[in-house]
Amino acid sequence: MTRRGPVSISNAGEKGLPTPSPDALAHSERVRSLIVERISAAGGWISFAEYMQLALYAPALGYYSAGAAKFGGEGDFVTAPLISPLFSRTCARRISSWLGGTGTDAVLEFGPGTGRFAADALEVLTEPGSALRRYALLEVSGDLRARQVETLHSMTGVEWINELPRGFRGVVFANEVLDALPCERFVVRGETWWRLGVGLGASGFEWRVRPPDGAAPGDAEFIEAAEQRIKDLLLHDEILPEGYCGEWHPWLDGWMSALSAAMDRGVVLLADYGLPRLHLMHPDRIQGSLRCHYRHYAHGDPFLLPGLGDITAWVDFSAVAESASRAGFKVTGFTTQAAFLMGAGIEQELQIMATGLDPASPDYLSLAHGARTLLLPGEMGESVKFMMLTRNLDEGEIADEPSFSLRDLRDSL
Ligand SMILES: C[S@@+](CC[C@H](N)C(=O)[O-])C[C@H]1O[C@@H](n2cnc3c(N)ncnc32)[C@H](O)[C@@H]1O
């Protein structure tokens, strides 16, 4: 199952999920204890963003920080670079062209996961004539960084960085990173939006709703973000119904302004499961987009086995565009994964990779299967979106970008 694939069970509980090993259960218990301590110290309530931050990124304990398999057959989900090298190679063709067009020579990848994207992209980015001189990886998880080193140790020009560089010139790439950032949850109560956070009940973690009355950290930021969204939806005659539950990523603005401050000039390419705000915050999506993944099962209960599974929420690409514009980027493109990959030349890449292969061979069939999963609307083709941002580029440095001109969706943002 892809990371944000269709939900196969609606309520996890003990039903359907594979049983974790005793060691895994003991690990989850340690994560649970840490979060219980935090909730108690905070007076009985923490925001969902804080819960998610701890469950995913608590040092040495969180899902991404600790040693769970996470990706691939042994793990909980797969991402596009693991589905097929066609994804990474096709993206790399455009990245290579942008480096050449802007006279820059560096790539910075955020949240590289297993390092698979870098490994396959570097085959294209190091072809003769390529401008690439430096490929930097920025990863918050020590466990994943160790795996990336294992995958990429023999490649020249690859380096790991612990913080954003200064004066970066080149191309920044992030696949499925924004939807892994902690999200705030809200529920519509009467005329206002209330915070949906986490408290302690008799049988464990519980959803707790409270008005943003200034008593909890982050209330003021919540009110500001909620009011902006309510106003924006009203402009389109949209009022979310009573009980509607949704999410946003409160640290997006900070992420974007830090990136902008680090970047002198170049291109940012973002790929994630997500939608423009009007489609994401639509009355039909009354339960929001929060999803959890454990051993290729998708479910909706983030309190189940904390530290053992992934938690994610779809990205509001209107918010990404707003943050980016505020931070001084230009939103140069927005489209679906299928349109991006088709415009970027996935067919030519398929031809290159399939040359000499017997159409009945496992390698050929795997390429064909990968292309279908990446492109089909019911798979990843429509639900994953690509956004291109540019910073301090002159007119014409990147003109008529083919990967975004096939289907320009910027009007929907
Ligand atoms: C869902 S995984 C995607 C991994 C990889 N990009 C792929 O497509 O397979 C999310 C990745 O983002 C990393 N991550 C989350 N927050 C981050 C941040 N603020 N800076 C850098 N990496 C981050 C996680 O540790 C993980 O490697």
PDB file of all heavy atoms in Angstrom, residues 4 95 101 149 176 226 235 274 317 356:
ATOM      1  N   ARG A   4      -0.412   6.953   1.500  1.00  0.00           N
ATOM      2  CA  ARG A   4      -1.718   7.524   1.804  1.00  0.00           C
ATOM      3  C   ARG A   4      -2.810   6.826   1.025  1.00  0.00           C
ATOM      4  O   ARG A   4      -3.741   7.409   0.561  1.00  0.00           O
ATOM      5  CB  ARG A   4      -1.757   9.019   1.470  1.00  0.00           C
ATOM      6  CG  ARG A   4      -0.531   9.749   1.918  1.00  0.00           C
ATOM      7  CD  ARG A   4      -0.468   9.825   3.446  1.00  0.00           C
ATOM      8  NE  ARG A   4       0.669  10.622   3.822  1.00  0.00           N
ATOM      9  CZ  ARG A   4       1.804  10.097   4.279  1.00  0.00           C
ATOM     10  NH1 ARG A   4       1.959   8.807   4.394  1.00  0.00           N
ATOM     11  NH2 ARG A   4       2.794  10.880   4.631  1.00  0.00           N
ATOM     12  N   ILE A  95      15.339  18.342 -12.607  1.00  0.00           N
ATOM     13  CA  ILE A  95      16.269  19.000 -11.663  1.00  0.00           C
ATOM     14  C   ILE A  95      17.559  19.354 -12.394  1.00  0.00           C
ATOM     15  O   ILE A  95      18.097  20.456 -12.270  1.00  0.00           O
ATOM     16  CB  ILE A  95      16.529  18.080 -10.447  1.00  0.00           C
ATOM     17  CG1 ILE A  95      15.248  17.937  -9.621  1.00  0.00           C
ATOM     18  CG2 ILE A  95      17.689  18.601  -9.594  1.00  0.00           C
ATOM     19  CD1 ILE A  95      15.312  16.921  -8.472  1.00  0.00           C
ATOM     20  N   GLY A 101      19.868  25.584 -16.305  1.00  0.00           N
ATOM     21  CA  GLY A 101      19.194  26.840 -16.675  1.00  0.00           C
ATOM     22  C   GLY A 101      19.503  27.977 -15.729  1.00  0.00           C
ATOM     23  O   GLY A 101      19.471  29.154 -16.118  1.00  0.00           O
ATOM     24  N   VAL A 149      23.150   6.671   4.750  1.00  0.00           N
ATOM     25  CA  VAL A 149      24.604   6.541   4.620  1.00  0.00           C
ATOM     26  C   VAL A 149      24.929   5.172   4.014  1.00  0.00           C
ATOM     27  O   VAL A 149      25.758   5.054   3.101  1.00  0.00           O
ATOM     28  CB  VAL A 149      25.311   6.729   5.980  1.00  0.00           C
ATOM     29  CG1 VAL A 149      26.787   6.392   5.890  1.00  0.00           C
ATOM     30  CG2 VAL A 149      25.127   8.159   6.485  1.00  0.00           C
ATOM     31  N   GLU A 176       6.947  13.948   0.141  1.00  0.00           N
ATOM     32  CA  GLU A 176       6.208  13.472   1.321  1.00  0.00           C
ATOM     33  C   GLU A 176       6.876  13.882   2.632  1.00  0.00           C
ATOM     34  O   GLU A 176       7.032  13.060   3.541  1.00  0.00           O
ATOM     35  CB  GLU A 176       6.023  11.954   1.264  1.00  0.00           C
ATOM     36  CG  GLU A 176       5.088  11.538   0.160  1.00  0.00           C
ATOM     37  CD  GLU A 176       4.447  10.191   0.417  1.00  0.00           C
ATOM     38  OE1 GLU A 176       4.136   9.904   1.572  1.00  0.00           O
ATOM     39  OE2 GLU A 176       4.273   9.447  -0.555  1.00  0.00           O
ATOM     40  N   ALA A 226      -7.326  29.843  12.159  1.00  0.00           N
ATOM     41  CA  ALA A 226      -8.723  29.446  11.938  1.00  0.00           C
ATOM     42  C   ALA A 226      -9.479  30.594  11.272  1.00  0.00           C
ATOM     43  O   ALA A 226     -10.212  30.385  10.295  1.00  0.00           O
ATOM     44  CB  ALA A 226      -9.373  29.064  13.260  1.00  0.00           C
ATOM     45  N   LEU A 235     -15.473  33.468   1.500  1.00  0.00           N
ATOM     46  CA  LEU A 235     -15.355  34.156   0.207  1.00  0.00           C
ATOM     47  C   LEU A 235     -15.894  33.294  -0.923  1.00  0.00           C
ATOM     48  O   LEU A 235     -16.288  33.779  -1.973  1.00  0.00           O
ATOM     49  CB  LEU A 235     -13.884  34.462  -0.090  1.00  0.00           C
ATOM     50  CG  LEU A 235     -13.268  35.685   0.552  1.00  0.00           C
ATOM     51  CD1 LEU A 235     -11.801  35.793   0.156  1.00  0.00           C
ATOM     52  CD2 LEU A 235     -14.027  36.928   0.087  1.00  0.00           C
ATOM     53  N   GLY A 274      -2.180  15.848  -1.200  1.00  0.00           N
ATOM     54  CA  GLY A 274      -2.825  17.071  -0.763  1.00  0.00           C
ATOM     55  C   GLY A 274      -3.748  17.645  -1.812  1.00  0.00           C
ATOM     56  O   GLY A 274      -3.907  17.085  -2.913  1.00  0.00           O
ATOM     57  N   PHE A 317      -2.486  22.787  -0.073  1.00  0.00           N
ATOM     58  CA  PHE A 317      -1.520  23.435  -0.968  1.00  0.00           C
ATOM     59  C   PHE A 317      -1.779  24.936  -1.124  1.00  0.00           C
ATOM     60  O   PHE A 317      -0.873  25.671  -1.531  1.00  0.00           O
ATOM     61  CB  PHE A 317      -1.456  22.718  -2.330  1.00  0.00           C
ATOM     62  CG  PHE A 317      -0.446  21.595  -2.322  1.00  0.00           C
ATOM     63  CD1 PHE A 317      -0.855  20.279  -2.152  1.00  0.00           C
ATOM     64  CD2 PHE A 317       0.909  21.844  -2.436  1.00  0.00           C
ATOM     65  CE1 PHE A 317       0.072  19.241  -2.119  1.00  0.00           C
ATOM     66  CE2 PHE A 317       1.842  20.817  -2.391  1.00  0.00           C
ATOM     67  CZ  PHE A 317       1.430  19.514  -2.233  1.00  0.00           C
ATOM     68  N   GLY A 356      16.214  -3.260 -24.258  1.00  0.00           N
ATOM     69  CA  GLY A 356      16.904  -4.547 -24.124  1.00  0.00           C
ATOM     70  C   GLY A 356      16.200  -5.528 -23.194  1.00  0.00           C
ATOM     71  O   GLY A 356      16.636  -6.670 -23.064  1.00  0.00           O
TER      72      GLY A 356
END
